[in-house]
Structure formats: C-alpha cells, structure tokens
Amino acid sequence: SIIGSGPAAYSLAALLTASPSNPSVVLLSQNANKRWMPNYGCWAEEWEVLDELYAARGIHGLMDRGSDVHWEDTDCFFGETSHGVLSRDVEGSHRRTIGREYVRVSRRGLKEVFCDGTYEIICQDVSGTAVNTNVYMPPGSITFHESYTELTLKDASKSTVRAKIVVDGTGAESSFTIRDGREKEGYQIAYGIECNVDGPGVTESMVGDYDRQKMTLFDFRSKAWNNADGLHDHDAVQKPTFNYVMPLSKEVIFFEETSLVANPAMSFQECKDRLRDRLASQNVRITNVLEEEFCYIPMGGGLPRKGQRIVPVGAAAGLVHPSTGYQLCRCPSSNLAVCDQIVFELAHVEDLNQPFDPDIAAARIIGRTWTPDAIRRE
C-alpha cells in the first residue's frame, strides 16, 4: 500500500506496476483524483536524464507529456552592477544569464504518465497519527501484525487494508512518519500566481525586466520597491525574498515571490505585498489572477527515525534539498532504488520460502533512500 497522492506516491506506484514481477499495489488518498497544485520547475538536462531512466523501466513520456513549457535559457538578478560586482552600497540590475535550459513540469501530463499503470486507487485517507516509533493514535488505527500491516480507512464503515509493505508518500507534514530534529528546520514560503498583466512595462518581448523567452530563476533586487507602503527597507535586506518568473504564454505569466528559508517563517501576505510592489516598480500591473499558489516547504531537519515499519518516500523521507527546496527530481530518482528494494523483499521471501518480516524489509528499503553516502552529502 502507498499512502499519498503526490509525485512521490504516484511515481513509486508506476514503477512497481511496471516492474517484471508486477506486485499488487494500492494507492490510498482522498485526493488521489485531484489535480496537482504546485508549479514544478526543473533543469532540462536533469529532467531528460530522469526521462531516460523511467523509459528504461517501461514508463515513457516524462519529457514529452510530463513537461509543457521549455525555455532555452535562464536569467538571474542578484543586484550586481553592470560589471557583475556586488556592492553593499549600490544595487545594480545586471542580468546574469547562466546558459541552462529550464522546463516547467506539466501537472496534468506527469500525473497521466504515472497513471498508466494497473494499480488500484482507493480515494480514502488512512487513519492514524504517529506518537512514537510504531505507535499510532487512535488505538487500532494502524495495527502491526507479524507478517503484514493493517490500515484503517477514514470511510464511514472504517474499512481496512492489509499490506506486507506500507509506504508513506504524504509529504513533509506526514502524520505517519516521525522525523527527529524538526525544531531545527527553516521554512521556505512562497506566494505564486498565474496571471494576466498589462502596463507600460509589458511589451511583446518583455514583462518588466523579465525576458519572455527566458525563465527567471532569481530576482533578489529590492531597492526599487522596499520602501513602498506597508513595507520596510530594513526587512527587505535582512529578510530577503526573490521573484521566480515563468512566462507561460503570450497572455499568461507565473510569478512567485519566495522567502528561500527563514525561521520563523515569513507570512504569505508579506510575500504577496512584496510581489505587488516589485512588479509595480517595473510598471507591470496584474489585471487578472487565474490561479493562486501558497507554497510551504520545511527545510532541513532530521532524517526519519530508525525502526519505523511504515516506509517514507519523497518529502516524508526528508528528501527536500536543504538549501534550495528542490525535490521533484530527487524524489522520482530515489524511488528507482526504493522500487527495486521492495520488489527484492517480496520476491526474496518467496524464493527462500521464509516468513516475511515487515520490519526488516522496511529498514532495508529506507536504507536505499538514505544510504551512508546520501547522509554524508546532506
């Protein structure tokens, strides 16, 4: 059983059902049939590698169907002068073009790629909150038996699902996985919008300072807007944010004002106000908001506690990059090894005609995500 409805859960379900042994897989979440909300972006070369790795497993289309906008280059604004120099006293508008292609991941397309498998989907959430290692409340919500785990669903009849291996793909705020050291976390906060714009700064080739033919990864500048109504210039320097810009079409732009990491977290309203004033300083006015995005990403913190029988993947396993918040490529990449280990655990028992031990299996599976080398890199 896989609990969750995001890329971590769906990619693993697709990999398992595409494997030669084709184990029985069920995905559990009341949100399973809802569309994914976040705008995911990725370096094109990384997505191409992932596309090849998944195609080798019989899962095709990550590049063709799983991405929908492609930019040939990427810009950044760090406040450098025209000579590419950073100064404490003078903020410049040097455009640093870094020569790397970028893609937006298609939320609809990628989910369709991962839904091509034959696994079962039950649109119900699982009951239970971990209060200690392998202890869940309310009592009986998750029951560990000698060779399987029993999950209670949140439906009216409190149906149960039994599985040899249970995977948690419910994200960073999972109620099923304990990660120690979370008091050390910082938080990435971002307010994003897909919108229409107009104003003197909007032309055929530019939206303010942003080239329509390029993706803008970072715009950290603040001098032009940091003393606008309701803002404080000191805060803009001490608590910086950046704008992340995806020109999606001639009519639609995606902007996201992002606090990279802070503790305590910046408010969504602060990010929203900064985005408004940043764009106004470039003579850009938002005329219609097509979609709003409120992004919250815990950064850093500890690894999953050892000894847990439910196996975390993706953000539930702490796979968010502690410096950038990136996770989309890390998660499906990690799931390749997780899939292999799950298949091995299920087949190994049958080959040796031995009783299945879910605890030993879980320890070996999570060990494929957090190898000694991966732990050293973090």
Side-chain angles (χ1 to χ4, degrees), residues 137-303:
M137 295 295 290
S141 55
I142 297 178
T143 307
F144 296 125
H145 297 272
E146 185 177 3
S147 60
Y148 66 91
T149 300
E150 187 170 60
L151 308 173
T152 303
L153 304 184
K154 291 183 177 179
D155 58 6
S157 60
K158 297 191 181 300
S159 307
T160 59
V161 174
R162 294 180 176 182
K164 288 185 175 180
I165 296 170
V166 178
V167 175
D168 173 16
T170 59
E173 295 297 345
S174 169
S175 64
F176 306 106
T177 297
I178 295 176
R179 291 172 54 221
D180 294 316
R182 295 204 60 186
E183 68 280 357
K184 303 175 184 177
E185 288 178 344
Y187 304 96
Q188 183 172 123
I189 298 294
Y191 170 77
I193 51 172
E194 283 190 18
C195 63
N196 307 125
V197 295
D198 70 5
V202 179
T203 68
E204 289 292 319
S205 60
M206 304 293 289
V207 178
D209 293 338
Y210 309 122
D211 190 327
R212 288 182 179 272
Q213 301 303 311
K214 298 176 184 178
M215 186 270 173
T216 299
L217 186 64
F218 297 117
D219 180 2
F220 269 108
R221 298 170 300 168
S222 67
K223 191 68 174 177
W225 54 265
N226 63 21
N227 60 353
D229 290 346
L231 299 181
H232 303 283
D233 55 356
H234 176 77
D235 285 348
V237 174
Q238 297 300 317
K239 303 174 183 178
T241 56
F242 64 88
N243 197 11
Y244 174 95
V245 185
M246 290 177 164
L248 302 178
S249 69
K250 184 177 180 181
E251 295 80 21
V252 180
I253 311 293
F254 176 75
F255 299 108
E256 191 167 60
E257 191 74 21
T258 303
S259 166
L260 183 60
V261 61
N263 188 345
M266 182 172 288
S267 71
F268 288 115
Q269 187 62 49
E270 176 75 9
C271 289
K272 184 176 182 177
D273 292 343
R274 290 187 182 197
L275 177 61
R276 174 201 63 209
D277 292 321
R278 181 191 297 275
L279 295 179
S281 74
Q282 298 179 34
N283 295 312
V284 175
R285 183 172 66 91
I286 299 166
T287 59
N288 185 32
V289 175
L290 305 173
E291 185 175 290
E292 279 187 306
E293 177 179 317
F294 298 88
C295 181
Y296 159 84
I297 304 174
M299 308 271 282
L303 304 185

Side-chain angles (χ1 to χ4, degrees), residues 56 91 119 218 268 321 333 369 375:
E91 181 180 270
Y119 52 89
F218 297 117
F268 288 115
H321 193 284
S333 298
T369 296
I375 293 171

Side-chain angles (χ1 to χ4, degrees), residues 127-144 149 175-178 305-310 359:
S127 296
T129 299
V131 295
N132 207 333
T133 306
N134 296 332
V135 178
Y136 290 81
M137 295 295 290
S141 55
I142 297 178
T143 307
F144 296 125
T149 300
S175 64
F176 306 106
T177 297
I178 295 176
R305 182 183 293 179
K306 293 182 178 180
Q308 297 180 93
R309 184 185 284 196
I310 294 180
D359 296 295

